[in-house]
Amino acid sequence: MEILRKFKIPGRSKSPIFAFTVTAGLALTAVTGSAAAVSIFRDSPSNKIATAVEGVVRSSRAIYSITLTVADYKYTLRRLPADSDEYLQRLTEVHSRSAKRILKLCESNKGFYVKAGQFVATLKLVPKEYSLALSSLQDKAVPCNFQEIKQVLTSNLGQNLTEIYLSFDEEPIAAASIAQVHHAVLKNHQEVAVKVQYPGLKQNMMLDTMIMSFLSKSVAKIFPEYRFDWLVYEFVKSISQELDFLQEAKNSERTAKNFKHNKMITIPTVFSEFTTTQVLTMQFCKGFKVDDVESLKRTNLSPEKVAKVLVEVFAEMIFVHGFIHGDPHPGNILVSPEGQNGFSLVLLDHGNCKTLDEAFRRDFCRLWEALILLDSNKIQELGKQFGVGKYAKFFPVIFTGRTSESKSGLGKGMSIQERQKLKQELKLLRLEDVTTFMGSLPPDFLTVLRTDGLIRSITLKLGAPQRVRLLAYAKYAVYGLGYKPTSEPDFVEKSVISRSVMLMSYLRLRLILELMELFQGMKKLKHTIYGFYGQLVGGITNSVKRITCSV
């Protein structure tokens, strides 16, 4: 760590852009450092020395990468005014170099490094160069040798594969950072997907956590104003949940129960007799990735319609059930060309699910109602309850793409003037402000923020207007306020009167919103007419003056 101490960073960064970059680069390195001593495929005692050596090599890569990143930012941007064009150009260049460096680190160390890269890529505050580079990690996992997978299967299921399956494809149909999936057929001719965890992961979790904590404290010494314990905590918790396939099976069954009356979503059935902590056997479902626009068009499916169903499903999870699928990247959501409306969504991988605190769920519903109506007082009030205080004014920007004072319609973004004003406010932010804001958010808020970011990126690729997502969230936020958890979690089972009340509340919200936008449109039209009238009168006056002067 001595070499890192040579690169001292000023207590205050030059700009919030720099702050976000440090947040992205250092947080990623600290999180990926958790995998420094992981050896995915080495479990036997005879390989302990090799595992230790590999751990040192992987740790060294992480330290080397962060050292170069810190030095790159420090010396590339030194003595440059933060508001200069040269600064912005150099900043873009160093973003690109650093993102590639971190990507290379994840690809080299594999395992949890890939998972950490995927995790950080979904955070909203990272520069686009990082999110674009690291998003490629979704397809970078390298499959494990089948003999080792076979050993995991037999040791967990207690039988030879020939006793359980009519056929078992040795080539995986999917490979992720902690497991891979194989197609198989059971003795009863049922097609199944078998998810098998890579050997050696759980045994190294304690060591990984210790290394993560060490790197977190080390970086904090270099950057005293920066704390990312919240990120470390969330990542460790997420990984711990995903390593228990029995818990994933329970999550899957709970989600299926929540949506049992929704014909637009399919949750693969879990075969509990062939499921353990390291092996998950489920119904095999056919389909293509939800963001595969070409396949959607080839099967005559509307991408916008698929996007609408997608956001409504996740809005129901967030605002009504309070039980969220925490990793909805395209590989975990398939579109099946089967269903009463021509298609259905197949939701896979329920390892990273989160139960929201009931008080948080209701407050989040209220926040979205306030965001839709731009009720700044209510937003600030809820911001205090969420523990972020003055930073609550950025909620509308984060979630809806407009400010509290915005005059534009829902889903239409900000005007040029609003963007300029926001840019000036962001310039006043310090690194401490950014990390204080993120660190103050409740864990549930961070979960929702990450899930929303993934859903937003999918709907964007599907070409759906932002208004589709915003109105879906508004609708289910109102429904969520009228919903009270019972033994039956499916809110559509509620009485006709109760559902009618929720519908009327939503229609009232829509009416207020439409009237607000109509009023804003009339004001714009009024200003346009006045402006045109003024130009017309001015033109006539000038013409008369010129004629008078010539006479």
Side-chain angles (χ1 to χ4, degrees), residues 54-109:
E54 183 182 348
V56 172
V57 172
R58 291 152 71 88
S59 297
S60 299
R61 286 197 193 109
I63 295 173
Y64 177 71
S65 296
I66 190 58
T67 301
L68 285 183
T69 299
V70 171
D72 201 356
Y73 276 102
K74 178 176 175 62
Y75 290 103
T76 300
L77 303 176
R78 71 186 188 281
R79 301 192 188 94
L80 292 177
D83 56 351
S84 66
D85 292 337
E86 185 180 0
Y87 176 88
L88 295 176
Q89 181 181 346
R90 294 277 191 89
L91 184 63
T92 300
E93 293 171 357
V94 73
H95 277 342
S96 181
R97 288 196 301 271
S98 299
K100 291 177 182 177
R101 189 180 299 120
I102 298 299
L103 175 62
K104 185 177 180 181
L105 169 66
C106 294
E107 291 174 338
S108 298
N109 283 0

Side-chain angles (χ1 to χ4, degrees), residues 254 258 314-325 353-358 360-362 365 444 448 480 483 485 489:
R254 180 176 175 181
N258 287 347
F314 277 86
E316 186 174 332
M317 284 185 188
I318 295 169
F319 297 103
V320 181
H321 302 151
F323 185 68
I324 311 175
H325 187 298
C353 287
K354 176 71 178 290
T355 300
L356 301 180
D357 177 77
E358 178 60 16
F360 170 84
R361 182 189 69 81
R362 296 187 66 81
C365 288
D444 285 353
V448 172
Y483 167 73

Side-chain angles (χ1 to χ4, degrees), residues 403-446:
T403 64
S404 298
E405 297 80 25
S406 180
K407 305 301 180 185
S408 59
L410 186 67
K412 295 182 180 179
M414 292 178 281
S415 65
I416 296 176
Q417 292 79 6
E418 289 167 350
R419 288 182 182 277
Q420 290 175 342
K421 182 179 178 182
L422 178 63
K423 188 176 181 180
Q424 292 302 317
E425 289 182 353
L426 290 176
K427 280 187 176 181
L428 298 176
L429 289 179
R430 300 167 300 173
L431 179 56
E432 296 94 322
D433 295 319
V434 178
T435 56
T436 297
F437 171 65
M438 295 299 291
S440 299
L441 289 172
D444 285 353
F445 206 110
L446 293 170

Side-chain angles (χ1 to χ4, degrees), residues 280-294:
L280 176 62
T281 304
M282 56 199 142
Q283 172 190 2
F284 181 79
C285 296
K286 297 179 180 179
F288 45 84
K289 287 185 179 182
V290 68
D291 64 344
D292 188 347
V293 178
E294 291 185 5

